[in-house]
Amino acid sequence: MSAVPRDHTHDRQQSKKAAASAWIGSALEYYDFFIYATAASLIFPQLFFPSNNPTVAIVASLATYGVGYVSRPIGAFVLGHWGDTHGRKQVLVLCMFLMGFSTIAVGLLPTYSQVGILAPILLVILRLIQGFAVAGEISGASSMTMEHAPFGRRGFFASFTLQGVQAGQILAAAVFLPLAAYMPTEAFNSWGWRIPFLLSFIVIIVGYIIRREVDETPAFAEEEKQGEVARAPIVEAFATSWPDMLRVVCMALMNVIPVVTTIFGAAYAVQAAYGIGFHKDVYLWIPVLGNILAVFVIPVVGNLSDKIGRRPPIIVGALGSGLLSFGYLYAISIANVPLAIVMSLLMWGVVYQGYNAVFPSFYPELFPTRTRVSAMAISQNVGTAITAMLPALFATVAPPGSTNIPLTIGSIALAITAVAAVAAWSARETYRIPMKDLGQPRAVPLPKSDYERLRNEAMA
C-alpha cells in the first residue's frame, strides 16, 4: 500500500478557514469590480467624463486601456513574486487592502464639476490599482485553498474561490441596482452612487478577520523551513514550467464565454443599431441569473473533479459552452427573451462552470510550490488580457447591419473554446498526485484504490 500523502493529515479547520478566506476575498474583489462597471455605465460619464471636453475623453480612453493591458500583467508579476517569496497569506491580505481601500477612495472622489480634470485622473489611478490588486487575488487564493485542502478534496475546496467571484457580482447587483432604480435621480447622482463603494469598508473588516485566522500553507511553510523558497520565482517559472504556463494561457481564453454573454451579447441585444430591441433592465438580469445558478453549480463540479479528474469537466465545459454560444446568440437574433435567458443559464450558469469551477485547483496543481503563484498569475492574466480584445474584434467582424451574426460570433467563440479544450487535453492529470509531487512532469499519481480510500476518509 502506498504511503499516505502528507497533505492528507492536514488540519481540517484550516482547510475550511482557507476556503472561507478565498470566498470572502474573491467576493470583495469582484463586488468592487462589478460596482465600478455598473457605475461606469450609469453615472460616471456625467460625473467624471463630460463629453464636451476632449482632454477628459482621452483620459477616459486611457483608463480603459490601462486597466485592460497594463495594471493586470504588472500586478501578476509583482504579486505573484510576493506570494512565492513571502507566502500566500501575506499576498492575499495585501490584495484585499489594495482593492478595498482603492474602492472606498472611489466613493470619496470629488467630481469633475468640483475639481476639473483632476477627478478623472484620480479615477483612472484608482482603477489601475484595482486592476493591479485583482491580478494576484485568484492565483493567491486558489494556491492557498488548494495547499490547505485535504488530499482528495482539493477540487472541492478550491472551487470556493470562484463561488466567491460569482457571489460578489450578485452582491454588487443587490446593492447597486435597487439604489439606481428607487432613489430620486438627483439624490442618486449627488451621493447615492457612493454608498456601494463605501460599503467595501465592511467587507474589508470581515475579510481581514477571516484571513488573519488562516495559517500559512503547510507546503510553503515547509519550503521556508528548509530554506528552499525561490529567490526569483518568475525566472524559475519561465525556465522550468513554460509548457504548462502556455497551456494555462490557452485555457484562460475561456473568458470568451463571459465576453459573449455580458459584453458583446449586451451590445447585440440592447444597442439600437443592431435592431433587436431588448430592454436594458431585462438584459441586465441575464448575467445576474447566471451567477445565481453558478453559485450552486460550482461546488458540485469542484467535487466531481475530485472523483473523475480535472481535465474531463474542463474539456466538456469548453466545447459545450462554445457550441451553446450559437443557440444563445440565435435566441437574441430572433428577439426571444425567454429563450435567450434559458440559453444563457445553460451556457453560462451550468456548462461553462465545468471550466470555471475546476481551474482554481487545476492551474495551481500544474506548478510546483516554489513558483506556483507567479506561474498561475502571469499565465492566467495574459490569457484573460487577450480576451479583453475580443469585443472590438466581434464588433469589427459583425457590425450592425451584417448578416449571420450568431454564426460568425459563435464560430469564433467555438474555435477559441476548442483551443482551451486542446490545452486541457494535452496537460497531465493532477487530481491523484500528492502535494509534494505537484509540478513535476513525471509525477506518478496515487493508485486509484488508495486515492479513493483517502478521499473517503477525508470526507468522513
Side-chain angles (χ1 to χ4, degrees), residues 365-414:
E365 285 175 340
L366 288 171
F367 305 110
T369 303
R370 289 169 59 86
T371 61
R372 181 167 291 137
V373 183
S374 298
M376 178 179 171
I378 293 165
S379 44
Q380 187 201 2
N381 279 285
V382 168
T384 305
I386 292 170
T387 64
M389 294 183 273
L390 290 174
L393 172 65
F394 289 167
T396 303
V397 300
S402 56
T403 56
N404 296 325
I405 289 176
L407 184 63
T408 303
I409 302 303
S411 297
I412 296 172
L414 179 60

Side-chain angles (χ1 to χ4, degrees), residues 247-318:
R247 288 185 178 99
V248 171
V249 170
C250 292
M251 285 187 277
L253 297 177
M254 277 298 295
N255 198 52
V256 65
I257 296 299
V259 168
V260 166
T261 308
T262 60
I263 301 177
F264 179 79
Y268 185 34
V270 172
Q271 292 297 323
Y274 279 105
I276 304 296
F278 278 28
H279 291 294
K280 288 183 181 179
D281 55 348
V282 171
Y283 193 85
L284 197 57
W285 278 101
I286 288 181
V288 172
L289 292 172
N291 283 330
I292 291 171
L293 183 56
V295 163
F296 296 99
V297 172
I298 283 172
V300 175
V301 177
N303 189 54
L304 179 67
S305 78
D306 286 327
K307 294 180 182 177
I308 65 172
R310 312 292 187 229
R311 296 189 305 166
I314 289 179
I315 292 169
V316 171

Side-chain angles (χ1 to χ4, degrees), residues 39-64:
S41 62
L42 290 177
I43 192 71
F44 283 177
Q46 299 95 314
L47 294 180
F48 293 98
F49 306 117
S51 57
N52 61 347
N53 189 318
T55 308
V56 177
I58 291 170
V59 172
S61 65
L62 286 177
T64 306

Side-chain angles (χ1 to χ4, degrees), residues 46-105:
Q46 299 95 314
L47 294 180
F48 293 98
F49 306 117
S51 57
N52 61 347
N53 189 318
T55 308
V56 177
I58 291 170
V59 172
S61 65
L62 286 177
T64 306
Y65 176 83
V67 170
Y69 302 100
V70 176
S71 60
R72 275 201 179 202
I74 293 172
F77 276 88
V78 174
L79 297 171
H81 173 89
W82 193 272
D84 283 326
T85 55
H86 292 79
R88 295 21 171 165
K89 180 174 179 175
Q90 275 202 32
V91 77
L92 287 175
V93 171
L94 177 62
C95 288
M96 188 177 65
F97 281 125
L98 279 172
M99 174 62 83
F101 285 117
S102 60
T103 303
I104 293 167

